[in-house]
Amino acid sequence: MEATVTTANSEEKTWGGGNEPMRASYGKLMMWFFIVSDALTFSGFLAAYGFSRFKFIETWPLADEVFTHFPFMHGVSAPMYYVALMTFILIFSSVTMVLAVDAGHQMKKNKVILYMFLTIIGGLIFVGSQAWEWKNFIKGEYGAIETKGGSLLQFVDKDGNRVALADFAANLHEEREQLTPNKAKWFMSEPSLPSYSVVEVQAGFKAHPELLIRTEVMTATKQKTILSREESVSRLGQAHYVVEGANLVRNEYGSKLFADFFFFITGFHGFHVISGIIINIIIFFNVLIGTYEKRGSYEMVEKVGLYWHFVDLVWVFVFTVFYLV
């Protein structure tokens, strides 16, 4: 038996508009339910990240050393600059969405079109920037060595500045062949071969006595541990694999879990942003053809606005735990 509400003029079903809990329509209330459930999902992911970081705090990568790239400024260290710009663009797109919702309340179609267009552009720039950041993270910059025990060794000069493998690795013209299913048993394969072999890195290191090895272990002053030359030579003797960039298996910047969480959480958030852009585009074209003008209400703009603000708010937390803390 359906609940009804009786007024002086009509009798309507509960979700027919006659009775609106918290003065919210059915559509807006369902959007709030979705946002709350999705917020719990992101909270679980970020909590797992926090616990993992606390457990492996000594080997966790330093954000200022990982996110140093800026478009068209190759070789220039600009830690966190581009990430800050991405964050500003996404937050600004939330402002334009607020303006679009406000224009909808005033039934100003042209302003809704303008502000929604700016919101979509902001979202596209953010997603493109995130893809560019992923590319640099996956490609890597300096390279490192993984030992047989799973430890990570990075290379620095006597002043503690990072040195790339390309700057010192020897070229021994080794014949290396990648193992693929058509060259071995059908279940056997290996990832792409690194630019240099372990032997080439070891030979190059011996030829450059000014080089030292920096481990992934952090000191009390929040600096990575730099070994003496003798200790460096000894540790390099345990080299097992050359690591270039980051993926779900290896990470040249430090703990492998950092890369796993980075790809999963920022990827999950990026999926939400892409979904929001697609929904915004659909609503944008409906505004263009006058759908909501005919209905006499721009509530759909407000609904998608709630989702967009949620996506922006989640990024603030992701930005805080990955880049600032």
Side-chain angles (χ1 to χ4, degrees):
M1 183 175 181
E2 292 185 292
T4 60
V5 58
T6 304
T7 65
N9 300 318
S10 63
E11 182 177 291
E12 300 182 32
K13 295 179 180 179
T14 299
W15 292 113
N19 182 19
E20 296 183 343
M22 297 178 288
R23 296 184 179 180
S25 66
Y26 177 77
K28 268 198 279 188
L29 202 58
M30 292 302 103
M31 178 59 77
W32 276 113
F33 285 160
F34 168 77
I35 287 174
V36 171
S37 64
D38 214 25
L40 293 174
T41 303
F42 273 106
S43 298
F45 293 156
L46 293 177
Y49 171 86
F51 282 119
S52 299
R53 175 171 180 170
F54 180 77
K55 183 176 181 179
F56 301 101
I57 188 65
E58 290 186 347
T59 60
W60 212 252
L62 300 173
D64 286 347
E65 294 184 355
V66 179
F67 308 104
T68 61
H69 301 86
F70 202 95
F72 312 112
M73 293 175 61
H74 181 70
V76 178
S77 181
M80 310 298 292
Y81 287 14
Y82 195 58
V83 179
L85 179 61
M86 288 168 50
T87 303
F88 173 78
I89 291 172
L90 191 63
I91 292 176
F92 186 76
S93 72
S94 196
V95 174
T96 57
M97 178 56 80
V98 169
L99 295 174
V101 172
D102 182 65
H105 288 160
Q106 300 177 43
M107 300 299 291
K108 295 180 179 178
K109 176 182 174 182
N110 291 334
K111 284 192 174 183
V112 175
I113 292 172
L114 171 63
Y115 292 130
M116 286 209 69
F117 177 75
L118 293 176
T119 302
I120 293 168
I121 294 299
L124 289 172
I125 293 174
F126 177 83
V127 170
S129 298
Q130 201 169 44
W132 181 84
E133 188 181 55
W134 269 42
K135 176 185 75 69
N136 286 292
F137 186 64
I138 293 171
K139 181 181 178 182
E141 185 174 5
Y142 295 102
I145 286 289
E146 184 178 296
T147 67
K148 296 176 182 178
S151 300
L152 195 72
L153 307 179
Q154 301 168 336
F155 299 91
V156 297
D157 58 23
K158 291 185 177 180
D159 296 324
N161 300 315
R162 291 288 302 278
V163 178
L165 298 181
D167 294 336
F168 70 89
N171 189 353
L172 303 180
H173 304 288
E174 292 183 301
E175 291 291 335
R176 294 186 295 159
E177 186 176 24
Q178 183 175 354
L179 184 63
T180 56
N182 63 332
K183 297 175 183 176
K185 297 179 180 179
W186 67 271
F187 56 85
M188 295 176 65
S189 64
E190 65 178 350
S192 300
L193 292 175
S195 303
Y196 307 96
S197 68
V198 170
V199 175
E200 289 175 326
V201 174
Q202 290 173 330
F205 185 79
K206 290 179 180 178
H208 292 77
E210 75 280 4
L211 295 181
L212 300 173
I213 280 180
R214 189 180 79 167
T215 70
E216 59 184 338
V217 179
M218 195 178 300
T219 64
T221 58
K222 295 186 178 180
Q223 300 292 328
K224 298 295 184 178
T225 304
I226 298 178
L227 305 178
S228 66
R229 178 68 184 182
E230 293 73 19
E231 292 173 325
S232 297
V233 173
S234 175
R235 288 296 296 275
L236 192 58
Q238 304 172 16
H240 172 65
Y241 192 87
V242 176
V243 182
E244 293 178 305
N247 51 51
L248 296 177
V249 179
R250 292 182 171 90
N251 177 15
E252 76 165 52
Y253 302 101
S255 175
K256 303 169 187 177
L257 275 177
F258 176 84
D260 296 341
F261 277 113
F262 178 80
F263 287 127
F264 188 78
I265 295 179
T266 61
F268 192 58
H269 177 266
F271 170 76
H272 280 70
V273 176
I274 293 172
S275 300
I277 292 171
I278 294 173
I279 297 170
N280 270 327
I281 291 174
I282 295 172
I283 302 302
F284 175 74
F285 280 109
N286 277 330
V287 174
L288 280 178
I289 63 178
T291 300
Y292 308 123
E293 193 82 12
K294 295 172 185 176
R295 292 182 186 177
S297 171
Y298 281 85
E299 186 178 304
M300 283 301 298
V301 176
E302 189 172 354
K303 291 175 187 175
V304 74
L306 289 173
Y307 176 80
W308 194 254
H309 297 323
F310 166 71
V311 169
D312 288 3
L313 181 61
V314 168
W315 176 253
V316 172
F317 286 97
V318 173
F319 173 75
T320 300
V321 299
F322 270 104
Y323 302 96
L324 297 184
V325 178

